[in-house]
Amino acid sequence: MNHSINIESLIDDLSSQLANSYYQFANILSTIAETTEKYYEEGHSRFVSDKSAMIAEQLGMTDEDIMEVKIAGLLHDIGKIGFTEPLLFKYPTEMTQQEYLNYTKHSEFGYNILKRSRLFNNIAEIIYQHHEKLDGSGFPRHLTKENIHPAAKIIIVVDYYHNQIAKTKRSRLETNTSITNTNQYIENSNDKFAATMNYLHKKKGILFESKVVDTFTDIIVNERKMLGSKMVVKLPINILESGMIIAEDYYTSYGMLIAAKGERITKEAFKCIQRFIENGELPSKILVIK
């Protein structure tokens, strides 16, 4: 009997279990962070996580680095827990001096929350830096260029984009409307999209990493083109497939966001949706874009 093979297999199994537990714990924390996201038309942290991981993958980062980017995206705003309403729905340019000062502390708050666990040391540092800009005009430490973590350079671009595109003055709990026409959705957001992308490209190499902006542009432009040709349908769980996009927000009876509008269905998300449907917390059919 080859004991070395058995030991290697055991180590692989334990490593896989640890990785899954690590990600599951991160998802629990992200559920807490999502309490700060009611002023977005779709799930903010989930969007930042998904798109940041896609950028990291296309930039050739290692699997471990991609996972760190994904988790940091999920948790990047965890330091906003406990923020007052004005800090949640205002843009920084609309805040009073004191409000802005309080707002800039959320990166440090997030860092202090996560650094308590050795598992999240790297994630904590990424979150600490996710508002740093290449020219040193970011916060909280005014880091520049190569002093900024590569993952933080990715998250700031996606975070800026989604804040400009999806942030709203009214709570989505009050205005939860379904996407009924993808072409109309694209047309309605064209002006915001153009202004946001123009700013990112104008500031690439100055505030934002050029290769990150270029990679994100390819991803989001292609996604919008594909979205424009999709149908919105209500499907039972057994017909849902990975890659479909959730077309409205779904909450539990106690107000926890389960599936966010605009979120792409993954294997993990599918299992979660299935479990909540079986428990009667979701309708048997889900509105999706396919």
Side-chain angles (χ1 to χ4, degrees):
M1 181 181 294
N2 192 331
H3 292 288
S4 63
I5 294 177
N6 290 336
I7 292 172
E8 288 174 4
S9 177
L10 177 61
I11 290 173
D12 286 342
D13 287 344
L14 290 173
S15 297
S16 178
Q17 290 173 26
L18 179 61
N20 288 334
S21 298
Y22 174 51
Y23 188 61
Q24 287 170 8
F25 184 46
N27 270 300
I28 291 171
L29 291 176
S30 74
T31 300
I32 299 171
E34 283 171 352
T35 61
T36 69
E37 296 180 6
K38 61 182 178 179
Y39 292 102
Y40 288 90
E41 293 177 350
E42 55 190 65
H44 177 62
S45 294
R46 300 189 195 197
F47 181 94
V48 173
S49 174
D50 181 39
K51 296 301 181 289
S52 294
M54 291 172 69
I55 294 170
E57 184 175 4
Q58 292 201 19
L59 291 177
M61 291 179 137
T62 66
D63 289 345
E64 183 179 352
D65 288 341
I66 293 170
M67 179 58 76
E68 285 190 346
V69 170
K70 187 177 183 69
I71 292 174
L74 275 176
L75 303 178
H76 74 283
D77 276 343
I78 197 168
K80 288 183 179 178
I81 293 171
F83 271 20
T84 60
E85 292 289 296
L87 287 181
L88 293 179
F89 72 74
K90 285 185 180 180
Y91 290 98
T93 53
E94 300 172 320
M95 295 175 186
T96 66
Q97 185 176 1
Q98 186 58 51
E99 285 174 339
Y100 182 72
L101 180 61
N102 292 337
Y103 165 77
T104 60
K105 294 177 181 178
H106 77 269
S107 298
E108 184 176 359
F109 290 162
Y111 171 79
N112 287 332
I113 291 170
L114 295 173
K115 74 174 183 179
R116 296 172 181 272
S117 169
R118 287 187 301 170
L119 279 176
F120 288 94
N121 276 347
N122 289 338
I123 304 298
E125 187 58 39
I126 294 168
I127 288 170
Y128 203 2
Q129 297 184 24
H130 82 275
H131 276 291
E132 301 287 1
K133 298 174 181 176
L134 298 183
D135 67 350
S137 64
F139 61 83
R141 289 181 285 179
H142 307 291
L143 302 179
T144 59
K145 298 181 179 178
E146 300 310 314
N147 295 317
I148 304 172
H149 195 291
K153 292 179 181 179
I154 293 174
I155 290 173
I156 189 176
V157 169
V158 185
D159 184 42
Y160 174 81
Y161 170 85
H162 201 247
N163 272 311
Q164 300 305 309
I165 294 293
K167 198 166 187 178
T168 178
K169 293 291 185 183
R170 297 181 65 187
S171 170
R172 64 178 175 178
L173 295 173
E174 302 167 350
T175 61
N176 184 26
T177 55
S178 303
I179 300 171
T180 56
N181 185 307
T182 56
N183 284 314
Q184 184 179 8
Y185 171 79
I186 295 296
E187 290 173 6
N188 289 345
S189 61
N190 269 341
D191 289 344
K192 278 185 178 181
F193 179 76
T196 302
M197 299 310 294
N198 284 340
Y199 181 80
L200 286 173
H201 281 272
K202 181 180 178 181
K203 297 298 183 180
K204 73 177 185 180
I206 302 171
L207 304 181
F208 311 112
E209 188 76 35
S210 295
K211 62 183 179 182
V212 173
V213 173
D214 291 339
T215 302
F216 177 66
T217 299
D218 290 341
I219 290 170
I220 208 68
V221 167
N222 287 334
E223 188 169 284
R224 284 174 68 85
K225 285 179 180 177
M226 291 176 61
L227 186 62
S229 62
K230 301 288 186 179
M231 296 186 301
V232 181
V233 291
K234 189 166 283 190
L235 297 176
I237 184 68
N238 62 313
I239 299 180
L240 294 181
E241 297 175 0
S242 294
M244 291 181 179
I245 299 171
I246 303 293
E248 67 180 355
D249 292 329
Y250 288 96
Y251 295 87
T252 65
S253 57
Y254 45 91
M256 185 182 85
L257 180 66
I258 302 170
K261 182 171 70 176
E263 181 182 358
R264 193 173 297 276
I265 297 176
T266 62
K267 289 181 179 178
E268 293 80 7
F270 178 85
K271 291 177 183 177
C272 180
I273 291 170
Q274 185 177 37
R275 188 165 61 250
F276 279 105
I277 287 176
E278 290 171 352
N279 291 335
E281 288 286 354
L282 281 179
S284 59
K285 292 185 178 181
I286 303 294
L287 200 66
V288 297
I289 299 170
K290 68 181 289 283

